[in-house]
Amino acid sequence: MTQQDTTTRAVGGTTGAADQVFQVETHGIDPIPDEERHGSAKDLFWLWFGSNLTFTYVINGALAVAFGLSFWQATGVVVLGGLSFFAISAAGLSGVRTGTATLVISQAPFGVRGNWPAGMLNWVVSIGYTILNTVVGTLALEAFFADTGVGSGRTGRALALLITLALTFVVALWGHATVQFAERWIAYVLAVGFAALLVFLLPGADTAGAAVSPGASGWSLAFVVMLAGPFSYVPMPADYTRYLPRTTSMRSLTWYGALGGFVSSVALGIAGVAAATQTDMTDAVVGTERLLPGWFQTLFLALVLGGSVTNSIVTLYSSSLNLQVLGVPWSRSKAIVISAGVTAAGSLCALFLTDFTSSLLSFLSLLIIVFAPWGGVFLTDMLMRRCRYDGPALHAGPDGAYWYRSGFHPAGAAALLAGMVFATLTCDSELWTGPLVAPLGGADLTLLGSLVSGAVYRVLARRTVAPHTDPS
């Protein structure tokens, strides 16, 4: 590939011609050459901070109270959930070492063909959450239009959807450098707005409520809700670290990324907890609005829109890399058109077919049965290899070291299956209740499927999986 001898100042460093702000990124899942690596670990703070300034965490905090937890109990769960970003951020070291996307690297524990089913499901999940965020942002912008007299009815909703989709698609289409740039600058604005939201919500919180025992069901459901968000990022962190120089330290990478996700998710989660102790949060947007001064309510709707867009940008961008992993023979910028088209169609259905929205949310929540065990295997393999992979072999197909047996890694497949069985037996969702939930007192232990799969993989692969040693 011919490289232009030009550079431009971007997010935290200089970028080569393949990764410039407001220009379409030319790389996809192909390894990023050392001479095009740029940026620093500090960039990850703004990426994870901005993408998690989303109203979803306010809803999650309110749900913890709805499950029977007091203010301090729910706050404790929110904080513990935020700490999971340390694992997510650390997983980004695999991108620094290989220069490629997470779902390419996951061929190491699962095999080239064994990686495909999870890749397909991850694309579905990414698009599903992009649809949900798009719908939330559209409804907030529609209400904003109504408040300001810009438009109402179907016309207002259609205009709101078009704007929300355009804001998300254009940034994701431009690619990595623009995604990081947008997340940073949008985060500056959103941080001020959400800080004001905390100021309005925290003083009235009922922090003196009598301590109660929500039971195993309440505790477990609260933890599932809090951890599901961070856990959904497991297939993504390397997508945003693959351009960083190989000299980037794991400590700085882990701390900057983790603090970004932790600060925003915990702050908004506590805001949701505080709101739920004061008012009915069945409709979280309406409930929160009731607690805000009239002059701030319109700005609040703008915050909801901005948070939805920042999260959708990240998931939509990763979905385009995902499609390349699945074998779509297009560039990343062309592949993203598929994801954007499906997102637009799904958003239209969700906005005009209410049953579609609830059904999609129930379906996505059930997929944790697959992704908790998948994440357990991937993270365990990463630790066993110390993030040292045979980079060329990740792209070599049947001729590479990760082809294993007919494209499947037996240890990875067996561990994934074991974790999925455990998660299925202990899942308590709207679409499925496992047979062990009742004997466990109503506890939902789905997320522990990651520990089960990780432990099984460690046992099965301990003699065959080791860090790659470069003979050169």
Side-chain angles (χ1 to χ4, degrees):
M1 179 183 297
T2 301
Q3 298 296 326
Q4 302 174 22
D5 188 23
T6 58
T7 57
T8 183
R9 188 71 184 172
V11 190
T14 56
T15 65
D19 188 38
Q20 295 184 13
V21 176
F22 304 134
Q23 293 189 28
V24 176
E25 176 190 7
T26 59
H27 284 300
I29 61 173
D30 52 305
I32 308 300
D34 286 346
E35 61 270 19
E36 294 185 35
R37 303 290 190 98
H38 62 85
S40 70
K42 294 179 181 179
D43 299 335
L44 297 177
F45 174 86
W46 294 108
L47 176 82
W48 293 112
F49 180 74
S51 61
N52 286 284
L53 282 173
T54 171
F55 193 71
T56 301
Y57 288 106
V58 176
I59 298 173
N60 292 346
L63 284 173
V65 175
F67 294 145
L69 276 67
S70 67
F71 176 88
W72 292 113
Q73 290 171 334
T75 297
V77 173
V78 168
V79 172
L80 290 175
L83 290 174
S84 63
F85 277 101
F86 278 89
I88 304 303
S89 188
L93 184 61
S94 59
V96 176
R97 294 275 173 81
T98 63
T100 192
T102 303
L103 283 170
V104 175
I105 301 166
S106 61
Q107 293 175 145
F110 297 104
V112 176
R113 288 177 172 168
N115 190 51
W116 197 92
M120 186 65 209
L121 284 175
N122 182 69
W123 182 78
V124 172
V125 170
S126 296
I127 295 303
Y129 280 115
T130 305
I131 291 171
L132 291 174
N133 274 310
T134 299
V135 169
V136 171
T138 298
L139 294 176
L141 186 55
E142 179 188 13
F144 179 88
F145 285 161
D147 288 350
T148 56
V150 173
S152 60
R154 286 180 174 269
T155 301
R157 176 167 294 189
L159 179 60
L161 174 60
L162 181 62
I163 292 174
T164 305
L165 286 171
L167 290 172
T168 304
F169 173 69
V170 171
V171 173
L173 174 67
W174 271 323
H176 175 267
T178 310
V179 168
Q180 287 198 316
F181 179 85
E183 292 291 344
R184 176 193 288 262
W185 286 98
I186 296 175
Y188 290 156
V189 178
L190 293 181
V192 173
F194 279 118
L197 182 70
L198 272 171
V199 170
F200 293 131
L201 296 180
L202 281 178
D206 180 12
T207 60
V212 296
S213 176
S217 176
W219 280 110
S220 64
L221 287 173
F223 273 110
V224 167
V225 166
M226 295 302 169
L227 291 171
F231 224 86
S232 68
Y233 290 120
V234 173
M236 299 182 192
D239 301 1
Y240 304 99
T241 59
R242 69 194 203 281
Y243 277 94
L244 291 177
R246 293 181 188 273
T247 55
T248 304
S249 73
M250 182 175 181
R251 176 177 294 180
S252 61
L253 180 147
T254 300
W255 273 95
Y256 277 114
L259 286 176
F262 177 85
V263 171
S264 51
S265 65
V266 169
L268 297 187
I270 293 175
V273 171
T277 64
Q278 303 172 65
T279 188
D280 179 15
M281 291 285 283
T282 303
D283 185 326
V285 174
V286 173
T288 304
E289 277 191 294
R290 283 196 292 263
L291 302 174
L292 301 175
W295 64 267
F296 189 75
Q297 290 178 4
T298 300
L299 294 177
F300 166 67
L301 295 173
L303 291 177
V304 175
L305 169 64
S308 298
V309 169
T310 58
N311 194 266
S312 292
I313 287 171
V314 170
T315 54
L316 189 62
Y317 174 78
S318 285
S319 76
S320 64
L321 298 175
N322 198 333
L323 286 173
Q324 288 191 311
V325 174
L326 294 174
V328 173
W330 293 353
S331 66
R332 182 207 61 82
S333 58
K334 291 181 180 179
I336 203 171
V337 175
I338 298 175
S339 295
V342 175
T343 298
S347 299
L348 283 169
C349 292
L351 287 166
F352 295 100
L353 300 173
T354 55
D355 290 341
F356 177 88
T357 305
S358 59
S359 297
L360 177 61
L361 188 57
S362 298
F363 171 68
L364 292 173
S365 66
L366 189 63
L367 285 183
I368 197 170
I369 290 176
V370 176
F371 281 103
W374 185 92
V377 175
F378 175 75
L379 293 174
T380 300
D381 180 83
M382 186 188 74
L383 291 172
M384 293 174 69
R385 298 180 193 272
R386 299 176 188 174
C387 284
R388 299 189 184 278
Y389 302 88
D390 183 346
L394 290 170
H395 303 272
D399 299 323
Y402 303 122
W403 186 252
Y404 301 112
R405 297 181 185 176
S406 301
F408 295 88
H409 189 197
L416 178 62
L417 180 61
M420 287 176 60
V421 169
F422 178 88
T424 301
L425 293 174
T426 58
C427 176
D428 184 15
S429 71
E430 187 175 334
L431 296 179
W432 168 258
T433 300
L436 295 184
V437 171
L440 291 169
D444 183 339
L445 304 182
T446 314
L447 288 172
L448 294 184
S450 61
L451 299 181
V452 172
S453 63
V456 172
Y457 185 76
R458 178 70 179 83
V459 171
L460 296 179
R462 68 185 186 281
R463 295 182 180 179
T464 57
V465 170
H468 172 70
T469 302
D470 191 344
S472 61

